[in-house]
Amino acid sequence: AHRYKVMERYKESRPEEKPEGFSEAWDLALGQDSLCIDDESEADDLLATIAFQCQVLAQPVTLVSKDSDMWQCLGRETSIYDFGKRPGKFIGAPWLKATHRISAKQVVDWMCLHGGKNDVPGCKGIGKKIASDLLEAFGSVVGIWEARPTLASRLRESVEEFFSGDYWKAREIHSLKRNVEIPPNFLT
C-alpha cells in the first residue's frame, strides 16, 4: 500500500495475526475473492470510499471498525459500530465532539499531532488531550502553525520541528482515500 512507501516503518511493530474469526467473517460477508482492492489501498480506504459515496447519496451507513482513523468518516448519516469497546458501541459525530472535542474534519490533524499509532510519529510532547486542546483553540494544524508565536517555547519548538519534518508523512498515512474503485452495483 502507498502508506508503506511514505514511511518505511509503517506498522512495523504491529502483530501480523488477525483477530479470531476475522478471515471467516470477511469470506462470509463478501465471498472469497469477490472484492479486489488495488495495491495502493487498504481496507480502511475502501470503507472510507463507501462512507463517502453513501454520504453523497444521502444513504445511512454504519461502518464496523475499532480503528480511530475511521472517525474521519463520521458525518451526515454515517456512524461507526466500534467493536473494540466492550460492549460494542455505536458512535457518531456528536460522540466524537463530546469525548474528544474535535469534528470528523479534524481527525487527521488530531491523529498527526499525537501520533502513537502504527509507528507513525507525532508531535513531541503532544498527547491526545493536548492535541484536542490545540485543535479546539486553533481549529486546524494551519491555525496552530499560525499561532505558534503565542505557544509556550517548548511547545512552539516541538510544533516547528514536527511541521518541518514528519507532519506531511503522518498526514499522508492518516488520511483515508475516498476514491477506491468499487465494483459496479456494490452499493445497491
Side-chain angles (χ1 to χ4, degrees):
H2 78 283
R3 290 174 178 91
Y4 292 95
K5 294 175 186 173
V6 172
M7 194 181 100
E8 190 175 303
R9 295 184 349 259
Y10 178 61
K11 294 186 180 181
E12 188 174 79
S13 64
R14 187 178 191 179
E16 287 294 320
E17 61 193 54
K18 301 284 186 223
E20 184 178 329
F22 176 85
S23 295
E24 293 83 359
W26 184 258
D27 292 345
L28 180 64
L30 298 174
Q32 197 164 9
D33 300 326
S34 67
L35 184 62
C36 296
I37 302 175
D38 63 73
D39 292 340
E40 296 296 311
S41 302
E42 297 181 3
D44 290 350
D45 298 314
L46 175 65
L47 289 173
T49 299
I50 291 168
F52 179 69
Q53 289 188 11
C54 287
Q55 288 171 355
V56 168
L57 298 170
Q59 294 290 321
V61 63
T62 299
L63 305 173
V64 178
S65 177
K66 63 180 184 175
D67 189 343
S68 55
D69 278 333
M70 297 306 299
W71 296 351
Q72 62 195 275
C73 298
L74 292 171
R76 189 180 87 221
E77 309 255 5
T78 302
S79 62
I80 296 172
Y81 179 75
D82 185 343
F83 63 89
K85 300 190 181 310
R86 297 290 178 235
K89 181 178 183 171
F90 286 94
I91 62 174
W95 171 88
L96 184 61
K97 194 67 165 173
T99 59
H100 296 287
R101 303 183 331 270
I102 59 172
S103 69
K105 291 181 180 181
Q106 294 173 307
V107 168
V108 173
D109 287 346
W110 185 76
M111 299 289 292
C112 289
L113 286 168
H114 76 76
K117 181 180 174 232
N118 294 328
D119 304 306
V120 180
C123 189
K124 185 177 175 183
I126 295 182
K128 293 176 181 180
K129 183 189 178 314
I130 294 175
S132 292
D133 292 345
L134 290 168
L135 290 169
E136 188 173 46
F138 304 112
S140 68
V141 293
V142 171
I144 295 166
W145 179 258
E146 291 172 350
R148 72 188 185 286
T150 67
L151 302 175
S153 62
R154 196 167 10 176
L155 180 57
R156 182 180 60 248
E157 290 168 9
S158 182
V159 165
E160 288 173 349
E161 180 182 332
F162 182 62
F163 287 93
S164 67
D166 290 326
Y167 169 72
W168 293 106
K169 288 181 183 179
R171 183 162 191 82
E172 177 74 19
I173 288 169
H174 288 300
S175 296
L176 297 176
K177 292 170 143 187
R178 295 173 183 211
N179 61 347
V180 175
E181 188 172 335
I182 297 178
N185 301 320
F186 181 76
L187 297 176
T188 57

